[in-house]
Amino acid sequence: MEDIEDLLVGSGGAPPGFRLPLNAVGVNPRKKNKAKPSKVSQMNDPPKIPGTQTIYVKTFGCSHNQSDSEYMAGQLSAFGYAISDNPEEGDLWLINTCTVKNPSQSAMNTLITKCKSAKKPLVVAGCVPQGSRDLKELEGVSIVGVQQIDRVVEVVEETLKGHEVRLLNRKTLPSLDLPKVRKNKFVEILPINVGCLGACTYCKTKHARGHLGSYTVDSLVERVKTVIADGVREIWLSSEDTGAYGRDIGVNLPILLNAIVAELPPDGSTMLRIGMTNPPFILEHLKEIAAVLCHPCVYSFLHVPVQSGSDAVLTAMNREYTVSEFRTVVDTLTELVPGMQIATDIICGFPGETDEDFSQTVNLIKEYKFSQVHISQFYPRPGTPAARMKKVPSTIVKNRSRELTSVFEAFTPYNGMEGKVERIWITEIATDGIHLVGHTKGYVQVLIVAPETILGTSAIVKITSVGRWSVFGEVLESLPQVNVKMAPDKVSNQEKHSPCSNQYECCACSKEPEPCSCGPDICGGQIKLDKCTVSKNDSPMENRASKNPIHWFIRKRRNHAQKKLENDIALGLENEQDWAPGGWGFVDRALLVGIFVSFFMIVAVIMHLEFRTLLSK
């Protein structure tokens, strides 16, 4: 079937919050069985009223994809649809896809097959249908293009009626002011541009996202003001290449960064994280970007993919920089920004890579000992120049990937942090259910045990121990959260539909289980610094504590004590003693004594019954 596009010639679509008339959407009625349903079934089938269904949303890939999904969920929620992450609950499935490499697309195919088997209506969005619209798996499926996410409500409604809808025409960028349901209510993923200026021989994403298209500085600054008022505590700038921002509209990244930083609260309650940037586009702005990274409201962290330590391989990739230029970026930022942390990417086994080329890559990683390296095996993507190049044998590719992973995992990047006092920003709950997750200014992940009431705030912590992927801290002082006055119209359904969740779930572009073949933001991926779970080697006692009922009781009491203190403060009853984690009050002692007394009474009763049984014999 040919693609069915918008039928409104010259129209930009409906403004945010409005449905277009049904004849404005190209639809293809699905063929139905000629047999008429029985009168009994017609009486039992409830009417399908738009806006009353539950939509299961699944996102593959990147932070940009995640932002698109949040925008689509926000619009659906605004029209009354319930959003769920449970496929069993979904009356319709919405799958947002990633085209970076084979595993992510295979996962998409599997999910589509499950959906069709379950006879659920299906809408597929994202880079796969936009870049490969003729895939067999997409036959008979409704599609939303990457620049048509503002029309997802129309597509869902028509799909629920049994129609197939395809909106793939490129148009103006979607508005930044659309309703949004954030996966993590404290984190705003802000796309600053789409597409890129590069032409990497292995990349499929540009086929979908296209040439560079930047949002204006004013529109981005207005969005920043809005989300700060909404209570957001971290703003992630995201795109396929952050460093290329503005080159199509006559501005550049430093201009945008300075405009955004000027709007951040001076107390540091909201932090900015700059997304992935390729070396060519920041070389001319290194000092200006370093100055922004030094700002107290900006994380001293940047993701700069190198992909290979060999100039010959970089040329074959068409990366448009040399290893020497990459070194200049890293050395300059490390010198000018205190505590600077840099993450990078490596592709193992690119076509034509020799043992000498790979050796140069290993030496580069050993020299800089990056705390975060996203290692990937080469995946040939259909339609790219690299797919036609002579491949390195798969056994060699796998061996190189294992060797480089072994080298990287031998590093101990956080040794020496023990005993340091750091300010962290706390935005989520770890998947173990015990720890909260915060980050230092250098974006080092810190796991703490503290009440959930301090989510969305910052704290002063002392680093107590370090692991391979994260460090552990003890809260010394919880810094007060600035009271942000939220306008009534800004209090959306986000908190209803988007409980704080693990933002670091494994994505198609992360290091686990398949490292990314391009940067997390090139392919769309957010930077997966660490799993939020605690490894057995890092803290075995903490893992065992999660199954201990006494530990659970203590944690519940801590939460209760913290809430009581906050209530006392609100009533002007604050005492002189600061809250200390683990502090025991009268009620705590009384409850503990009650537990022990109950235990001994039970033992006494059992012994008494046993004694009577013996006497009766």
Side-chain angles (χ1 to χ4, degrees):
M1 188 196 76
E2 294 182 357
D3 293 327
I4 301 175
E5 309 291 356
D6 289 357
L7 299 183
L8 285 183
V9 179
S11 172
F18 291 90
R19 288 184 178 92
L20 284 174
L22 295 184
N23 62 357
V25 181
V27 297
N28 181 41
R30 295 202 179 109
K31 294 181 180 180
K32 299 181 180 179
N33 295 330
K34 294 182 179 179
K36 294 182 179 180
S38 64
K39 292 183 178 180
V40 176
S41 65
Q42 288 179 343
M43 294 175 60
N44 293 335
D45 289 341
K48 294 182 179 179
I49 303 173
T52 61
Q53 291 84 5
T54 298
I55 311 298
Y56 164 61
V57 180
K58 175 65 177 179
T59 306
F60 290 99
C62 62
S63 58
H64 199 161
N65 266 19
Q66 182 62 51
S67 178
D68 286 351
S69 290
E70 291 174 355
Y71 273 125
M72 289 189 285
Q75 294 170 84
L76 291 166
S77 179
F79 277 104
Y81 292 96
I83 307 301
S84 174
D85 57 3
N86 182 356
E88 300 300 325
E89 296 177 355
D91 298 304
L92 176 143
W93 289 14
L94 172 60
I95 305 174
N96 197 1
T97 61
C98 174
T99 189
V100 171
K101 55 186 181 177
N102 297 345
S104 58
Q105 190 159 325
S106 296
M108 176 207 75
N109 294 340
T110 300
L111 198 58
I112 289 175
T113 301
K114 287 183 179 179
C115 185
K116 290 179 176 178
S117 298
K119 301 186 184 307
K120 301 271 190 179
L122 173 64
V123 176
V124 177
C127 294
V128 171
Q130 188 74 64
S132 306
R133 61 184 67 185
D134 296 325
L135 284 177
K136 182 179 179 181
E137 290 80 7
L138 299 177
E139 292 180 0
V141 173
S142 290
I143 289 174
V144 180
V146 294
Q147 292 185 20
Q148 298 276 16
I149 61 172
D150 54 348
R151 301 188 61 183
V152 67
V153 174
E154 305 160 56
V155 177
V156 165
E157 289 185 352
E158 291 301 321
T159 304
L160 285 168
K161 294 175 184 177
H163 299 152
E164 177 188 342
V165 185
R166 290 191 169 213
L167 297 182
L168 291 169
N169 275 353
R170 299 188 185 278
K171 53 169 196 157
T172 57
L173 298 177
S175 171
L176 294 172
D177 295 328
L178 296 169
K180 198 171 192 180
V181 174
R182 299 183 189 93
K183 184 176 180 182
N184 183 331
K185 66 181 180 180
F186 298 115
V187 176
E188 167 72 7
I189 304 172
L190 180 59
I192 63 174
N193 56 263
V194 300
C196 68
L197 294 175
C200 299
T201 56
Y202 57 83
C203 185
K204 181 78 172 176
T205 304
K206 189 167 182 176
H207 293 199
R209 294 286 183 179
H211 198 66
L212 181 68
S214 303
Y215 286 95
T216 65
V217 173
D218 289 344
S219 64
L220 291 166
V221 168
E222 284 303 312
R223 181 64 183 174
V224 166
K225 292 178 182 178
T226 299
V227 301
I228 290 175
D230 283 344
V232 161
R233 297 304 169 202
E234 284 188 4
I235 299 171
W236 297 358
L237 303 186
S238 177
S239 74
E240 283 65 59
D241 186 354
T242 302
Y245 169 79
R247 290 173 178 259
D248 57 321
I249 57 175
V251 293
N252 58 42
L253 182 60
I255 291 174
L256 173 65
L257 294 178
N258 286 314
I260 291 177
V261 166
E263 301 299 331
L264 298 178
D267 63 353
S269 56
T270 299
M271 294 292 287
L272 179 70
R273 193 187 87 178
I274 303 173
M276 186 282 302
T277 180
N278 286 312
F281 302 115
I282 58 170
L283 280 167
E284 61 188 273
H285 303 302
L286 277 178
K287 290 186 178 180
E288 295 94 326
I289 292 175
V292 173
L293 290 167
C294 288
H295 193 280
C297 296
V298 181
Y299 285 119
S300 303
F301 171 85
L302 195 62
H303 176 217
V304 186
V306 63
Q307 305 298 11
S308 175
S310 164
D311 284 339
V313 174
L314 292 178
T315 299
M317 292 178 174
N318 197 27
R319 290 290 289 170
E320 300 179 343
Y321 60 86
T322 64
V323 176
S324 176
E325 288 172 328
F326 172 79
R327 290 176 181 272
T328 298
V329 172
V330 175
D331 293 343
T332 302
L333 293 179
T334 303
E335 178 185 355
L336 298 179
V337 183
M340 183 70 195
Q341 295 283 328
I342 292 178
T344 195
D345 300 339
I346 296 293
I347 298 176
C348 292
F350 189 82
E353 182 185 63
T354 65
D355 289 340
E356 176 59 27
D357 293 329
F358 178 68
S359 178
Q360 292 176 25
T361 298
V362 172
N363 291 337
L364 180 71
I365 299 303
K366 284 182 177 179
E367 178 183 348
Y368 282 98
K369 292 183 171 58
F370 298 104
S371 58
Q372 306 299 331
V373 179
H374 307 270
I375 302 168
S376 176
Q377 299 173 27
F378 170 73
Y379 289 96
R381 301 300 292 135
T384 62
R388 299 188 296 270
M389 298 178 182
K390 185 177 179 181
K391 299 176 182 60
V392 176
S394 59
T395 53
I396 295 178
V397 175
K398 291 178 182 178
N399 288 337
R400 288 175 180 173
S401 177
R402 292 192 192 101
E403 180 183 342
L404 188 59
T405 300
S406 178
V407 168
F408 165 64
E409 291 184 347
F411 300 156
T412 52
Y414 304 129
N415 279 1
M417 289 190 68
E418 297 97 329
K420 286 188 175 182
V421 175
E422 300 270 359
R423 181 179 181 179
I424 65 170
W425 288 262
I426 308 159
T427 56
E428 59 189 306
I429 304 171
T431 53
D432 65 356
I434 299 174
H435 294 86
L436 302 183
V437 181
H439 292 92
T440 68
K441 189 178 186 300
Y443 215 69
V444 176
Q445 185 171 264
V446 183
L447 301 177
I448 61 172
V449 176
E452 294 176 12
T453 50
I454 69 172
L455 280 169
T457 68
S458 61
I460 304 299
V461 301
K462 180 180 181 180
I463 306 303
T464 56
S465 62
V466 300
R468 175 59 187 85
W469 309 106
S470 55
V471 302
F472 298 86
E474 175 186 356
V475 176
L476 301 179
E477 178 186 1
S478 179
L479 301 180
Q481 180 175 341
V482 176
N483 292 323
V484 180
K485 185 177 180 181
M486 297 178 66
D489 60 333
K490 297 299 181 184
V491 183
S492 64
N493 292 326
Q494 291 166 0
E495 299 203 7
K496 297 179 184 177
H497 297 292
S498 135
C500 184
S501 58
N502 179 18
Q503 193 71 13
Y504 298 94
E505 73 173 22
C506 186
C507 75
C509 297
S510 64
K511 190 172 72 67
E512 300 286 349
E514 288 285 349
C516 185
S517 61
C518 66
D521 288 304
I522 273 190
C523 57
Q526 71 183 52
I527 299 174
K528 181 181 185 299
L529 290 182
D530 294 295
K531 291 183 178 179
C532 292
T533 53
V534 183
S535 68
K536 296 179 181 179
N537 294 332
D538 286 343
S539 183
M541 291 301 294
E542 294 292 350
N543 278 329
R544 288 195 290 269
S546 64
K547 300 179 181 179
N548 189 328
I550 295 178
H551 180 276
W552 174 86
F553 166 77
I554 293 172
R555 187 158 189 245
K556 288 294 182 183
R557 290 300 303 159
R558 284 176 177 169
N559 290 344
H560 175 75
Q562 174 67 3
K563 291 178 181 178
K564 183 177 184 303
L565 178 58
E566 289 177 350
N567 291 335
D568 290 346
I569 292 173
L571 296 172
L573 302 175
E574 182 180 5
N575 56 31
E576 296 180 358
Q577 184 177 6
D578 291 336
W579 170 73
W584 290 83
F586 174 79
V587 176
D588 302 285
R589 296 188 180 92
L591 287 172
L592 195 60
V593 169
I595 290 172
F596 282 111
V597 169
S598 300
F599 174 78
F600 287 122
M601 289 181 66
I602 292 171
V603 172
V605 169
I606 292 173
M607 293 179 64
H608 175 69
L609 293 174
E610 191 70 21
F611 181 74
R612 289 185 60 181
T613 301
L614 292 173
L615 288 177
S616 64
K617 293 179 179 181

